[in-house]
Structure formats: C-alpha cells, structure tokens
Amino acid sequence: MFSRIRVGTFLTFWILYLFSSLSLFFTGVLGVKRSDLLFHSDYHRVITQLTTYKINFWRTHTHPLFILVFNPLGFLLKKIIGSGEIVGILFSTLFGAVCVVLTLVFFQKLGFKPFHAILYSAILGLSTSHIFFSSVPDTFIFAACSLIIIYLLAVAYPGSLIYMVPATIFALGMVISNVVQGIIAYFFSIYQGRFNKKVFTKLIIFIGLVLSGAIALNLLQKLIYPSVDLFFIPGSYYSKEGDYVNLPDQSSSIFSRILKLLGYIFIFNFIAIKPHIWRTIEDNPPSWVKLNSAPAPWVNFDPPSITALYIPGIIAFLLWTVLLLWSLYAFIKFRADKMPIMRSLIFCILFNFLLHNIYGKDYELFLFTPNWTFLVLSWMALSLKFYSHAEGISSKVLNALLLLFVITQLLNNAQFVDTLVSLYQQSNLSLNKV
C-alpha cells in the first residue's frame, strides 16, 4: 500500500513540476543568458554548470561537490537531448518530486498515519520554495533534498556512520552550510540525555570522516575540473563571499532583518505572495535591479508583505496561522522538545535563523527558503502528532484544517506560477538554448 502511495506521490508532483517548468521554458525566460531575473536565482549558471565541461566553474566554494556529482550525467544528457535547459528541468523536477516522496517516507517512519503523512508531504511539495526551485533549475532543490535524506536516515538508522557519513558528505557538497545541519542531526541521533565520552568520541569520528571524505572528493573534482574552488581553503572562501555578509549597524535595520527573515521562515516559503515586477525604469526599480543589462522583466518578493497575498492565499494564511499557533501550544503542552528529533529540528532552524541574519542580501532571502521549509514543517507535524493520533473532535478539526490548507495553498501558489508564466509570455522572449 505504502509503495503505491509513494509512486503515486512521486508521479503527481513530478508531473506538476514538469508542467510548471515547461510552461516557463516555453516563455523563453530559462534561455535568457543572465541570472537574477527570477528572485535572484542563478538558473543560467546552474544549467551551464550541469551541462558543460570546459568552462570556468564559479561559486563552487559554496557548492563544493555539485559539479562532480551532477556534471558527468548532465553533460552526457545534453549531448543526447541537445538542450541544456531541458536537462536542467529534468534534474530539478525529478529532485523536487524526490523531496516530496522522501518527506512522505520520513513521516511514515515517525509513525504518522498515511493520511497525515500524505498531507504534510503535500504541504512541502506545494510550498512556494519547492514549487519554484523544482521548476527553475538551481542548486537549492538539491540542497533541500540532501537535508531531507539526512533526517530520514537519522530516524531510520540513528547513529549509523555507514548511512549518515555519505549523506552528510552529499549535503555538504550541495551547499557547505549543510554540514552543520548534518552534524546536528547526527548528534541528536546518538544523544540519549547525557553527553559522555562515548557520544563525544562518536561525534568526533563522524565529523572527521565527513570532512576527510568531502576533502578527498573535492580534490578529485579539482583534478577533473581544474577551475573549481577548494572549499577547505578559508581565505579563498571569505574573499569570494564577503559581499554576501550582512552586518546591520543600527537597531532598526537589525529588527527589520529579523522580521523579514521570520516572514520567510514561517510564511512566505509556504504561501506565495504577488511578486514585485520591474519592466522599465518608470517602475522605479531598486538599485539592485539592473534593467539596462536584462532583456526581460525582473521579479522579486522583496520587500515581502502579507497584504500582497492572492485571494486564496488570504484563506491559506489564516489557516496556516491557526496551525502554527496550535503547533506552538502543543509543543509546550506535550513537552515535544524531549524528543531527540525535535531538538535536532529546533537547533537546525535556529542555525538557519542565525546564519541568514548575517549571510545573504535582503532581496535574496527567498533563495534560502529550501534550507528550512522541511524543518519548520516537521516541527509542526511532530508538535501536532498527538492530535493526529487522537480520537474525537480535535483530530477531526486538525484533519479539516490540514486539508483546507493544502487546497488553498495549491490554488494560491498555482496563481503565483501563472503570474510568472503570463509575465514572460508577454515579454516575447526567444527560446535561446543554453
């Protein structure tokens, strides 16, 4: 039964993502030889790096093994298919659907009933972050997938070096900050309430194996692709990422950043808002929108606001707010923080919150939402688990709220995708091949 559910879930979301991605492809926007147009995503860079061998591979210090893992197959597929964009679409849509299935399996492993496991995985699959990054090729969907794999293995094989080390190496290879989340997940899979010598030794061995394995693979990648960076050289990393470090110097700007980040963590990555669109100079674009060097309109959520919700999104927002508040109440009432997996989720959410308070420009925060969408959803699901397994009115109310939210989330985020497709259809872009 579960296998049929998993196959059906995979096919449903793969078809959904393919439809969304191909709709954007036929507008021509994915063929524009410039990134940043769509929420400052690097889709042109990623498509090129997926499918081309002899180029200057840049930003590999933050994605240390991405080229080694995906370029050989991507290069071969482009030779067969002839279109780098189609290859990028195949990778992103497949991994997006895999994210949803792995989330379904994760909740099943935690003992959730099929109905709730399907609904929670659907919330992830229909979220703004996963619909967008499963439709527009970028590294973020691969990073999200690697994080879900870590948590699934931490639940299925707690403390296992055989499973957790390769998974964390893969996660580090997709985005370097994921190594911290892998370490947190592994630690809480072996921590039994007391931090003793045995736990410390296992943790040190785990960290040593992950770093040595990642460094070895990074060196191998360097031999095959000489232009890539070595992630373990700190000076080189900081010199290239310094521009992305954001250190607010006033209390008002710190507060603004925190509010904006909280909005992306808990709301806008699940429920899309109408994006800001800049077509010409008359639209008064901010300084970071370079219309003079772009052949198409720019879109971005920054600054985000709940007043920009689509009509279905208003209902979805109200339902989501009730679910969040109910989750917080249940988390406190049932002392859900006692569960090791819950502690791991909380520490990873806190890590992302602290990291992105200083890393990433304000107008790029949506890019990082795949890093925490799964974490927040899992926190909610585990907090509400008592009610999902209970009998009576509370269980029925929860089921109704979740089901209504999935429906309104789908309607809202479908409008978001339609906004993007309609915008670039009107721009008359040519279908340039990458």
Side-chain angles (χ1 to χ4, degrees):
M1 178 182 175
F2 283 165
S3 61
R4 291 198 297 271
I5 291 175
R6 293 171 189 176
V7 171
T9 299
F10 173 82
L11 291 176
T12 298
F13 280 90
W14 189 34
I15 292 169
L16 173 67
Y17 297 148
L18 273 175
F19 179 80
S20 173
S21 192
L22 289 173
S23 297
L24 285 168
F25 167 74
F26 285 115
T27 68
V29 67
L30 298 185
V32 174
K33 291 178 171 56
R34 151 166 209 117
S35 296
D36 300 342
L37 297 178
L38 292 165
F39 305 96
H40 264 72
S41 61
D42 286 339
Y43 61 89
H44 173 62
R45 171 184 65 82
V46 171
I47 291 172
T48 304
Q49 292 186 347
L50 273 173
T51 59
T52 311
Y53 175 66
K54 293 184 178 180
I55 60 170
N56 179 25
F57 292 99
W58 57 289
R59 288 197 63 76
T60 50
H61 51 284
T62 51
H63 310 286
L65 301 176
F66 182 79
I67 307 302
L68 181 66
V69 173
F70 293 111
N71 180 267
L73 179 58
F75 179 74
L76 177 62
L77 286 175
K78 185 182 178 183
K79 289 291 185 182
I80 298 171
I81 298 172
S83 168
E85 296 141 293
I86 295 297
V87 174
I89 286 171
L90 286 174
F91 273 105
S92 60
T93 55
L94 281 169
F95 269 80
V98 167
C99 282
V100 182
V101 174
L102 291 178
T103 302
L104 173 66
V105 177
F106 173 75
F107 287 124
Q108 289 176 344
K109 290 290 184 183
L110 288 171
F112 282 79
K113 296 176 182 178
F115 177 76
H116 295 104
I118 291 170
L119 283 180
Y120 285 123
S121 59
I123 290 173
L124 179 105
L126 295 173
S127 66
T128 320
S129 62
H130 279 259
I131 280 186
F132 180 80
F133 289 109
S134 298
S135 303
V136 177
D138 208 321
T139 55
F140 296 99
I141 199 63
F142 305 102
C145 188
S146 71
L147 183 61
I148 298 170
I149 290 172
I150 283 175
Y151 269 93
L152 176 58
L153 293 177
V155 169
Y157 307 99
S160 171
L161 293 174
I162 295 175
Y163 290 101
M164 290 293 287
V165 168
T168 306
I169 291 173
F170 175 63
L172 182 155
M174 296 305 99
V175 62
I176 195 168
S177 61
N178 265 3
V179 68
V180 177
Q181 302 188 78
I183 292 170
I184 291 172
Y186 181 77
F187 171 74
F188 282 105
S189 76
I190 61 174
Y191 178 70
Q192 301 297 326
R194 293 182 61 187
F195 186 73
N196 51 34
K197 184 178 179 180
K198 184 179 180 181
V199 172
F200 178 75
T201 302
K202 280 187 174 182
L203 186 62
I204 294 301
I205 292 173
F206 173 76
I207 294 173
L209 289 173
V210 168
L211 292 180
S212 58
I215 289 171
L217 290 172
N218 196 215
L219 289 170
L220 174 62
Q221 181 178 253
K222 183 73 172 176
L223 289 174
I224 302 172
Y225 307 94
S227 65
V228 301
D229 296 307
L230 297 174
F231 79 92
F232 51 88
I233 301 177
S236 173
Y237 179 87
Y238 184 77
S239 66
K240 295 179 179 179
E241 291 298 301
D243 288 343
Y244 296 93
V245 175
N246 176 67
L247 295 174
D249 54 1
Q250 295 181 358
S251 59
S252 58
S253 58
I254 294 172
F255 184 68
S256 173
R257 174 79 171 200
I258 289 174
L259 283 181
K260 186 177 293 186
L261 188 54
L262 288 174
Y264 279 112
I265 290 175
F266 291 105
I267 301 173
F268 305 122
N269 57 322
F270 289 98
I271 309 167
I273 55 176
K274 298 171 186 175
H276 299 284
I277 299 171
W278 297 281
R279 297 178 179 85
T280 66
I281 298 298
E282 284 70 28
D283 293 326
N284 296 317
S287 59
W288 43 268
V289 173
K290 311 296 182 184
L291 284 174
N292 58 341
S293 60
W298 286 57
V299 294
N300 203 292
F301 287 137
D302 193 73
S305 172
I306 58 172
T307 59
L309 287 165
Y310 297 92
I311 292 176
I314 297 172
I315 302 171
F317 171 72
L318 294 174
L319 294 167
W320 187 246
T321 301
V322 172
L323 286 167
L324 283 174
L325 292 175
W326 195 359
S327 301
L328 182 60
Y329 168 78
F331 174 81
I332 296 171
K333 179 180 179 179
F334 300 115
R335 297 300 305 273
D337 60 300
K338 295 294 184 181
M339 293 185 288
I341 187 69
M342 182 65 90
R343 292 180 179 181
S344 176
L345 292 167
I346 292 170
F347 272 89
C348 283
I349 293 171
L350 182 61
F351 165 74
N352 278 288
F353 175 74
L354 295 175
L355 173 65
H356 293 294
N357 257 303
I358 61 172
Y359 180 83
K361 301 181 186 298
D362 275 8
Y363 52 83
E364 293 180 326
L365 289 180
F366 176 63
L367 297 180
F368 308 113
T369 54
N371 294 348
W372 55 67
T373 300
F374 169 80
L375 301 174
V376 172
L377 178 66
S378 299
W379 168 81
M380 169 184 282
L382 283 169
S383 297
L384 294 172
K385 188 178 180 183
F386 173 83
Y387 295 106
S388 63
H389 284 69
E391 299 293 336
I393 189 67
S394 60
S395 178
K396 293 178 181 178
V397 170
L398 176 61
N399 293 346
L401 285 173
L402 289 172
L403 188 58
L404 285 172
F405 176 74
V406 168
I407 293 170
T408 53
Q409 182 191 34
L410 171 61
L411 293 173
N412 181 81
N413 292 353
Q415 280 192 257
F416 163 66
V417 173
D418 182 66
T419 297
L420 299 181
V421 172
S422 299
L423 172 67
Y424 290 106
Q425 278 179 338
Q426 297 167 10
S427 301
N428 297 316
L429 301 173
S430 61
L431 290 172
N432 299 315
K433 289 185 178 181
V434 176

